[in-house]
Amino acid sequence: MTRLPHGQRPPVHLIDIEAEGLTNLALGVADTAPQVSELLLHEIARAQTYRAARIPPDVVTMHSSVEFVDEASGVDRTVQIVYPAQADIAAGKISILTPIAAGLIGLREGQSINWPDREGRERKLAIVKVTQPARL
């Protein structure tokens, strides 16, 4: 696992067109979901962007499946990061407009991040495995 000093976040890598769409999405919910909007916009602002064909395969992108560990609870979960209309928690599909998804997007296998949950408690999320979707 990549460990960073407390408070320092790992680098973020995003697909350029996803970064643009996520910016618009985050701005659109700034009034109704200010916490996640602010967190997501901050991560997008510090991201290195790539064309889809050049994104490293171990990066969490939209529609990728990510196995991660919540180190506070020890719970290991696998979820797919999706847009809000596709979210289905029973199917393991979580909206990018949730704090967990906003914290995972753009990270790479082996990285961990200290990230607030819905109640504002900081949790350490560690990326175990990323599986990319088929891209056109």
Side-chain angles (χ1 to χ4, degrees), residues 3 7-8 14 22 42 57 81 110 120 132 136:
R3 304 268 181 212
Q8 186 177 352
L14 295 173
L22 294 175
H42 184 265
I81 310 294
Q132 288 295 333
L136 299 176

Side-chain angles (χ1 to χ4, degrees), residues 45-68:
R46 64 186 200 85
Q48 180 176 351
T49 59
Y50 303 81
R51 284 181 281 151
R54 301 196 46 91
I55 193 89
D58 64 344
V59 171
V60 178
T61 62
M62 292 303 297
H63 302 288
S64 64
S65 292
V66 56
E67 179 185 354
F68 69 97

Side-chain angles (χ1 to χ4, degrees), residues 17-46:
I17 58 172
E18 287 183 357
E20 184 178 327
L22 294 175
T23 297
N24 292 334
L25 187 60
L27 290 171
V29 299
D31 290 337
T32 56
Q35 176 202 26
V36 76
S37 174
E38 181 179 330
L39 290 169
L40 188 54
L41 287 169
H42 184 265
E43 294 303 280
I44 295 165
R46 64 186 200 85

